[in-house]
Amino acid sequence: MENGISDRVRQLVREAQNILTSPKDNQEMTRCLSNISSFLPDSHATHPDLNPNDMTTARQEFADKHFSKFLEFLINCLSVDWIGRLPGDRVSELVDVFVLNGIHSEAFIILCNCISELSPGYKLNKCVILLEAFLKKRKLVELFWQQCKIPPGSGTKHDDPLMKLRWEGLVTALVSLPGKVSNKMQSETSDMFYPQSYVPTLTGDILSVLHRVYNSLQAGDDCSVRFLSQLVGRLCLAGYTDLLWSTLLPSVVQLTRSDYVWVRVCERLITGVPDRCIESVVTPLMKSAPWYGAVAKLLGDSVLSCAKLEFLLTKKLLFMRHFDKDLILQNVIGYLALSHTRRHLFIKVLHTLFDVWGDSSAVKHSSYEQHLYVTKALLICIGFLRDTEKAEYKDVFIQKLMSGVQCHLDSPDPNIRTLGMVVAECLTKAVDPKGHTLQFEYTKDEKVVHLLSLVVPPEDPGIDELKGNLQTLDVSSSIADSEIDRAISPSKKDIPADNVEALDSDDDLEPYDMSNDVKITKVKPPVYIRDCMEGLISSEDPDRLETCLEVAEKLIRNNPSNLHEIAAEFTKILLHLQDSFCTVGFIGLRHRAMVALAVHCPIQVAEYLTNEFFEKNYNLRQRMDMLEVLASAAQELSQPIDLKMKGNMGNPHPKVQETNTDTDTQHWRDIVQKRIESKTRRFVKGRTKPEPEPVQNKFSTVAANFFFPLLNFFDRKENTFDLLGEDTLVLQRLVYTLGVVMYAATNTLIARQMGAALLEFIWVLRYHQEPAVRQALLYAVTMVFLSLPGFILLSDLQTEVYEAKSWLEDTVGKDNNNECRKLAIQALVLLENIVKQEFSSGMSR
């Protein structure tokens, strides 16, 4: 009986194709399409040539063997003339019905294939219109639901290789549809096929199917979300992650908050994605989830069974990548620490974070952004430690902390040193709050305050706050404000009630302006330089010391004639002077006095400082002071002096000249001349301003004294001073000083020899392990390019410049420090401009 129905259906379909290919009249064409549409699954009509009792079998036969071929035939028949023969009000009933009410998966794939193969024309436009109607009428919901249903007795349906292959084609068609339509339709693409509209529509249909799955499970029927998992994974892999999660996450977080069935459904949806898509799905989820508790509901314990997910959460997201937002770290670490089944992974991650954070090689060779990211992860882990774990691992943590803090404090980068101090304070306070804790002096700016706030684990924001935060996530909102305020600064609650009124009583009072007040002292300021020197040496009176130090610069600049004999001795006194009385502005006053000595007696002071720089018995601060004085003096000596200000060099407050109060009328000649000038038209004007008077560069004759002695013994190793070893902070300052001196020697005769020596010095240290030193070297090579003329760089120093260029290109491609790469790019651009300018000037000659 079934074979007879099968043959009859095949015969009727064949006859319908023949009629539609060459219809005799419009009525026959309409009747044929209407009869064939009765074979569609949702149709309730009966074919006139079949028994009504056989229609169920006939529809199944048509769906299994004839629907795809007939729909392809129908699309091939589409044309303006062919459609024009149908009644205008019945086109949707006769043609569109095969797409909208047919086998949805096959209809969708056929339309997508036709769009790829068809050329621009009526058929292509009709297929796009049918697809748009397919999406708007939410036929994808039925398509997805057919893939999720598991009929009774067919539990192995979703493990069929043919089914997996069919799913792969269907998922590919769904993901690639916006690109296909846009490529074909170009500027005529409908808004529905733009990703901003298509992906949210697709995600909304996925959510609707999840509701059906939930209801089916509640009713005791079997369902599978494996197809939806593949689709979600491919959408994220294709770059639609943000659009997908912005639509799906708010509903999913709310649904899984208290319903276990929804938790299982969503967990299977996310963890069932293909392995190659896990990172594309989970990483944006960690960025977008408002709280780590929501992440735990969506992932469950899948990290224990999925090796790739474990690697992603415990290795890649923590050590191989870094993000600006802290929310991803809080979600990852909070997810691992929330359940006792995942707690061992949290402890393992914490130990690994300590090892990486305290590794001196990692501190030196990783970027600051990456190290800051690891530091944040470590602080967040400290906040999730339990009391029992603090007591159990206290000795291990302290041991790892000591070595880690040491390598941080040895770093020349102040930001790295601050990170070490913050972690040391937080950890010692966490593991032993009643014992001795480490305390450091550092500036508590916004960055430090934010780091301290990470120790407080974020609390459950609640469902109402979750709804508001899912659109614009802010990690600061997930931390209890009261706990942060308590950790950073004391609150008004800690102040006794009787003192609150006293604190607030003077709020309306404004302080007096004391900026112009003159300090009254009983000590008479010295008039002669030797008296000033004697006051600085032998004085145990803080007022006398402060007075002598304040007038030192003025005395030096006002009496430069007799300085040569005592310049080196005066510099020695200032260099060894200690701030024993906490003098206000001590460092600046001493520095300006030493610079004034170096400016007026450059040979004597430079010889003394450069020789003493490599001697023993000097601390790092004194060596840094020497370099800063040399750099400042070189800059001042290289600047031209305004001749109009020569008379006022020693008097910072010149007398105000009396103005002529006589308001008589101007001389008549001046008035006439102004009128003539205002009405005279000139086509060419002469020089309106006098030429600047040339001034001798005072630094040109002493540049060698400032520069070459600093290069003599840089590789000498002493017990208390090792530039190529641990004293990288001084080496960095030395390279910067050489660069400043090099730039100050611009257009001098000795500049060529200085540039060649500095490039050779840079070449020796070009791959230094400290990023701060490499930044100083890049600054120095840039100063060489700026200081020397282009023809010297490209002729006399051609070999050195070529080697420097190769090093700069290597730095851009391989250096792990962002600042080094930026400086190298700037130097390469500068060198390229110099070469272009030199060649263009050579061509013009």
Side-chain angles (χ1 to χ4, degrees), residues 674-692:
K674 287 184 178 180
R675 291 178 180 177
I676 293 174
E677 289 291 336
S678 63
K679 296 182 180 181
T680 302
R681 183 180 181 186
R682 289 185 174 88
F683 294 97
V684 178
K685 286 189 176 183
R687 186 178 297 276
T688 59
K689 295 182 179 179
E691 293 185 5

Side-chain angles (χ1 to χ4, degrees), residues 373-445:
Y373 184 74
V374 173
T375 303
K376 289 180 179 179
L378 187 57
L379 291 172
I380 293 172
C381 284
I382 293 174
F384 281 99
L385 279 174
R386 298 171 180 170
D387 294 338
T388 56
E389 294 167 343
K390 293 176 183 178
E392 180 180 357
Y393 299 106
K394 174 183 176 180
D395 296 336
V396 178
F397 290 158
I398 296 297
Q399 182 180 359
K400 292 183 177 181
L401 177 68
M402 290 300 103
S403 60
V405 170
Q406 184 61 43
C407 72
H408 281 75
L409 296 181
D410 291 340
S411 174
D413 189 348
N415 294 322
I416 297 294
R417 296 198 294 271
T418 303
L419 295 181
M421 298 175 193
V422 171
V423 172
E425 287 189 359
C426 292
L427 180 65
T428 54
K429 186 177 181 180
V431 297
D432 192 8
K434 297 181 180 179
H436 297 286
T437 60
L438 294 176
Q439 293 183 351
F440 300 91
E441 293 183 2
Y442 54 87
T443 304
K444 290 191 176 182
D445 53 9

Side-chain angles (χ1 to χ4, degrees), residues 735-748:
V735 178
Y736 274 119
T737 301
L738 292 172
V740 172
V741 175
M742 181 72 226
Y743 185 71
T746 304
N747 298 327
T748 61

Side-chain angles (χ1 to χ4, degrees), residues 359-533:
D359 187 0
S360 59
S361 178
V363 173
K364 293 178 181 178
H365 295 95
S366 60
S367 64
Y368 171 74
E369 292 78 10
Q370 180 67 47
H371 191 66
L372 175 63
Y373 184 74
V374 173
T375 303
K376 289 180 179 179
L378 187 57
L379 291 172
I380 293 172
C381 284
I382 293 174
F384 281 99
L385 279 174
R386 298 171 180 170
D387 294 338
T388 56
E389 294 167 343
K390 293 176 183 178
E392 180 180 357
Y393 299 106
K394 174 183 176 180
D395 296 336
V396 178
F397 290 158
I398 296 297
Q399 182 180 359
K400 292 183 177 181
L401 177 68
M402 290 300 103
S403 60
V405 170
Q406 184 61 43
C407 72
H408 281 75
L409 296 181
D410 291 340
S411 174
D413 189 348
N415 294 322
I416 297 294
R417 296 198 294 271
T418 303
L419 295 181
M421 298 175 193
V422 171
V423 172
E425 287 189 359
C426 292
L427 180 65
T428 54
K429 186 177 181 180
V431 297
D432 192 8
K434 297 181 180 179
H436 297 286
T437 60
L438 294 176
Q439 293 183 351
F440 300 91
E441 293 183 2
Y442 54 87
T443 304
K444 290 191 176 182
D445 53 9
E446 294 182 2
K447 293 182 179 180
V448 173
V449 171
H450 177 67
L451 289 175
L452 294 174
S453 69
L454 294 177
V455 182
V456 181
E459 296 182 352
D460 185 359
I463 187 62
D464 295 332
E465 192 172 346
L466 279 176
K467 292 179 181 178
N469 293 344
L470 280 171
Q471 299 300 325
T472 55
L473 295 175
D474 186 2
V475 67
S476 61
S477 63
S478 62
I479 301 177
D481 294 335
S482 59
E483 295 187 21
I484 296 177
D485 294 338
R486 195 180 305 117
I488 298 173
S489 60
S491 62
K492 287 188 176 181
K493 295 180 181 179
D494 300 329
I495 303 175
D498 55 345
N499 290 339
V500 174
E501 184 178 356
L503 289 175
D504 297 338
S505 60
D506 296 336
D507 288 348
D508 297 334
L509 299 180
E510 296 182 2
Y512 288 107
D513 184 8
M514 304 177 66
S515 59
N516 296 324
D517 287 6
V518 178
K519 183 178 179 181
I520 300 176
T521 177
K522 297 180 180 179
V523 179
K524 184 178 180 180
V527 180
Y528 302 102
I529 293 180
R530 292 190 182 273
D531 293 341
C532 182
M533 294 170 59

Side-chain angles (χ1 to χ4, degrees), residues 442-649:
Y442 54 87
T443 304
K444 290 191 176 182
D445 53 9
E446 294 182 2
K447 293 182 179 180
V448 173
V449 171
H450 177 67
L451 289 175
L452 294 174
S453 69
L454 294 177
V455 182
V456 181
E459 296 182 352
D460 185 359
I463 187 62
D464 295 332
E465 192 172 346
L466 279 176
K467 292 179 181 178
N469 293 344
L470 280 171
Q471 299 300 325
T472 55
L473 295 175
D474 186 2
V475 67
S476 61
S477 63
S478 62
I479 301 177
D481 294 335
S482 59
E483 295 187 21
I484 296 177
D485 294 338
R486 195 180 305 117
I488 298 173
S489 60
S491 62
K492 287 188 176 181
K493 295 180 181 179
D494 300 329
I495 303 175
D498 55 345
N499 290 339
V500 174
E501 184 178 356
L503 289 175
D504 297 338
S505 60
D506 296 336
D507 288 348
D508 297 334
L509 299 180
E510 296 182 2
Y512 288 107
D513 184 8
M514 304 177 66
S515 59
N516 296 324
D517 287 6
V518 178
K519 183 178 179 181
I520 300 176
T521 177
K522 297 180 180 179
V523 179
K524 184 178 180 180
V527 180
Y528 302 102
I529 293 180
R530 292 190 182 273
D531 293 341
C532 182
M533 294 170 59
E534 182 182 354
L536 293 175
I537 294 174
S538 59
S539 176
E540 295 182 358
D541 183 3
D543 293 335
R544 185 181 180 189
L545 176 64
E546 182 177 359
T547 303
C548 293
L549 193 59
E550 287 177 348
V551 300
E553 180 188 5
K554 182 179 179 181
L555 291 176
I556 293 169
R557 293 190 183 274
N558 287 344
N559 303 281
S561 57
N562 299 324
L563 280 176
H564 296 80
E565 299 177 358
I566 60 173
E569 183 181 356
F570 201 174
T571 304
K572 180 180 180 180
I573 293 172
L574 291 170
L575 183 63
H576 290 83
L577 189 63
Q578 300 294 326
D579 187 13
S580 303
F581 305 106
C582 297
T583 305
V584 178
F586 174 85
I587 296 176
L589 293 172
R590 187 185 63 159
H591 174 77
R592 288 194 292 272
M594 295 174 69
V595 171
L597 284 169
V599 168
H600 289 283
C601 301
I603 296 178
Q604 293 81 359
V605 176
E607 181 180 356
Y608 172 77
L609 291 178
T610 53
N611 290 336
E612 293 296 313
F613 178 75
F614 293 102
E615 294 298 327
K616 301 179 181 178
N617 301 326
Y618 283 100
N619 57 40
L620 298 183
R621 180 66 261 175
Q622 289 174 317
R623 300 183 198 275
M624 298 280 283
D625 290 340
M626 297 178 193
L627 296 174
E628 291 173 359
V629 169
L630 290 172
S632 300
Q635 288 176 314
E636 184 172 344
L637 285 169
S638 64
Q639 297 297 323
I641 301 175
D642 189 358
L643 297 178
K644 296 180 181 179
M645 297 297 296
K646 276 188 175 181
N648 297 329
M649 285 294 294

Side-chain angles (χ1 to χ4, degrees), residues 207-419:
L207 190 59
S208 298
V209 176
L210 290 178
H211 279 279
R212 289 194 182 186
V213 170
Y214 172 81
N215 294 331
S216 180
L217 294 176
Q218 290 281 70
D221 298 330
D222 292 335
C223 289
S224 172
V225 294
R226 192 179 303 176
F227 172 78
L228 297 181
S229 296
Q230 292 187 19
L231 179 58
V232 169
R234 287 288 300 277
L235 285 172
C236 293
L237 196 63
Y240 301 133
T241 309
D242 294 337
L243 294 173
L244 184 141
W245 282 121
S246 63
T247 305
L248 188 62
L249 190 61
S251 300
V252 166
V253 170
Q254 183 177 357
L255 292 171
T256 57
R257 189 166 179 84
S258 58
D259 194 318
Y260 178 77
V261 178
W262 268 113
V263 170
R264 294 294 296 168
V265 170
C266 295
E267 179 184 341
R268 292 293 182 88
L269 174 70
I270 296 174
T271 59
V273 300
D275 287 346
R276 62 193 177 106
C277 305
I278 285 180
E279 183 176 356
S280 301
V281 174
V282 175
T283 302
L285 173 63
M286 293 295 177
K287 292 180 181 179
S288 305
W291 184 51
Y292 61 87
V295 175
K297 293 289 184 66
L298 297 178
L299 296 182
D301 285 336
S302 55
V303 68
L304 303 176
S305 57
C306 180
K308 188 160 186 178
L309 183 59
E310 179 183 352
F311 172 78
L312 177 66
L313 296 181
T314 61
K315 295 289 191 300
K316 192 167 187 178
L317 291 182
L318 298 178
F319 303 105
M320 300 180 186
R321 299 181 63 180
H322 64 86
F323 304 89
D324 295 332
K325 292 184 178 181
D326 306 327
L327 183 60
I328 186 170
L329 284 175
Q330 291 178 332
N331 283 336
V332 171
I333 296 172
Y335 164 70
L336 296 176
L338 186 60
S339 174
H340 67 280
T341 57
R342 304 185 294 269
R343 194 73 187 182
H344 66 283
L345 293 177
F346 166 73
I347 298 298
K348 179 181 177 182
V349 165
L350 179 56
H351 284 287
T352 308
L353 282 171
F354 263 118
D355 294 336
V356 173
W357 182 83
D359 187 0
S360 59
S361 178
V363 173
K364 293 178 181 178
H365 295 95
S366 60
S367 64
Y368 171 74
E369 292 78 10
Q370 180 67 47
H371 191 66
L372 175 63
Y373 184 74
V374 173
T375 303
K376 289 180 179 179
L378 187 57
L379 291 172
I380 293 172
C381 284
I382 293 174
F384 281 99
L385 279 174
R386 298 171 180 170
D387 294 338
T388 56
E389 294 167 343
K390 293 176 183 178
E392 180 180 357
Y393 299 106
K394 174 183 176 180
D395 296 336
V396 178
F397 290 158
I398 296 297
Q399 182 180 359
K400 292 183 177 181
L401 177 68
M402 290 300 103
S403 60
V405 170
Q406 184 61 43
C407 72
H408 281 75
L409 296 181
D410 291 340
S411 174
D413 189 348
N415 294 322
I416 297 294
R417 296 198 294 271
T418 303
L419 295 181

